Amino acid sequence: MLRSQLEGHIGQDPVLRNTAKGLPWLSFSVAHNWTYQGEKHTEWIKCTVWGKEAEALARNKAIKGGQMVQVD
């Protein structure tokens, strides 16, 4: 499994869904900005949170579009 850490702004409000078997998952995208040879770039990273953590984040509206987050 590949793991990384990034920091950026959430693009839109996260969406809570359930799999066919009822497992909850929350999806959102984070904008990662970087500069290479003087040019600014933005890369959108798709993120998914599963299970009870997904439900808790959605229920508490802990994250929303435009908010700065750090994802581990």
Side-chain angles (χ1 to χ4, degrees):
M1 174 191 292
L2 176 65
R3 292 188 65 137
S4 62
Q5 182 179 18
L6 67 105
E7 184 176 282
H9 289 90
I10 295 178
Q12 296 179 346
D13 289 342
V15 177
L16 181 65
R17 296 185 178 98
N18 289 296
T19 64
K21 293 187 177 184
L23 180 64
W25 60 288
L26 187 74
S27 62
F28 56 95
S29 294
V30 176
H32 174 67
N33 299 310
W34 52 284
T35 303
Y36 178 71
Q37 294 183 346
E39 291 185 33
K40 293 182 181 180
H41 301 272
T42 300
E43 218 172 321
W44 288 94
I45 311 298
K46 293 181 181 180
C47 301
T48 304
V49 179
W50 294 91
K52 292 181 181 181
E53 290 177 355
E55 290 177 316
L57 286 172
R59 180 177 48 252
N60 298 327
K61 299 186 184 206
I63 56 177
K64 57 186 175 183
Q67 181 179 356
M68 174 69 94
V69 292
Q70 182 177 3
V71 180
D72 292 327

